[in-house]
Amino acid sequence: MSIPVSELGKLLRTMEPQLHPGVYVFVSLPPGEPMPAVEPLATFREVEGLSLILPEQDAVSRGLAVLFRAAWISLEVHSDLEAVGLTAAVAAALTHRGISCNVVAGTFHDHLFVPVDRADEALECLRRLQGGERAPGEPS
């Protein structure tokens, strides 16, 4: 098992963004509605219902209303759950390019869900950030 990284500079230099194949979607089930027979990547219970992130094909085949179509990018650095600044740095870089991003923190890695049609651009942006390029106004 690798040692978690907490220092922001090292996190950025070693984050190795990886684009997963396929399209992933966000859906929401109303409170009390049973979970369909799917294997979601992630779930989160909110007052309004159960949010799920799953492959688009699973949602469509079960008639679930798609709220957001996304590409899934994982940052392959083992980020410490108490690390400060990684999400902010990634958000600043993507914001500068006008790319929306939904971040999910796993125990070992951070996962970004960006609009499908902006996936390549987001990946390029993250690789530039990894190489040391900063968004305007961002401290170095």
Side-chain angles (χ1 to χ4, degrees):
M1 184 180 297
S2 62
I3 297 172
V5 177
S6 59
E7 193 269 312
L8 180 58
K10 186 173 182 182
L11 283 167
L12 293 174
R13 284 189 309 275
T14 61
M15 65 182 179
E16 293 299 327
Q18 299 295 318
L19 178 63
H20 296 265
V23 176
Y24 297 84
V25 297
F26 284 63
V27 302
S28 181
L29 302 176
E33 184 171 318
M35 173 92 121
V38 294
E39 196 169 316
L41 291 174
T43 63
F44 197 88
R45 187 163 309 282
E46 300 178 279
V47 171
E48 297 85 355
L50 181 65
S51 296
L52 294 89
I53 304 171
L54 63 157
E56 182 176 47
Q57 182 179 351
D58 291 352
V60 171
S61 68
R62 285 158 183 83
L64 300 172
V66 171
L67 302 173
F68 179 63
R69 295 181 75 240
W72 172 22
I73 299 172
S74 292
L75 303 181
E76 294 298 322
V77 62
H78 182 174
S79 53
D80 190 315
L81 286 167
E82 292 189 39
V84 175
L86 179 60
T87 302
V90 165
L94 293 172
T95 295
H96 178 66
R97 298 284 281 270
I99 301 172
S100 69
C101 179
N102 293 277
V103 180
V104 175
T107 302
F108 298 97
H109 307 285
D110 292 283
H111 306 275
L112 315 175
F113 294 88
V114 299
V116 171
D117 61 343
R118 307 283 308 268
D120 291 336
E121 188 180 355
L123 199 56
E124 177 213 341
C125 179
L126 294 168
R127 288 183 177 146
R128 292 176 82 130
L129 178 63
Q130 180 183 8
E133 190 173 306
R134 299 288 187 265
E138 189 178 352
S140 47

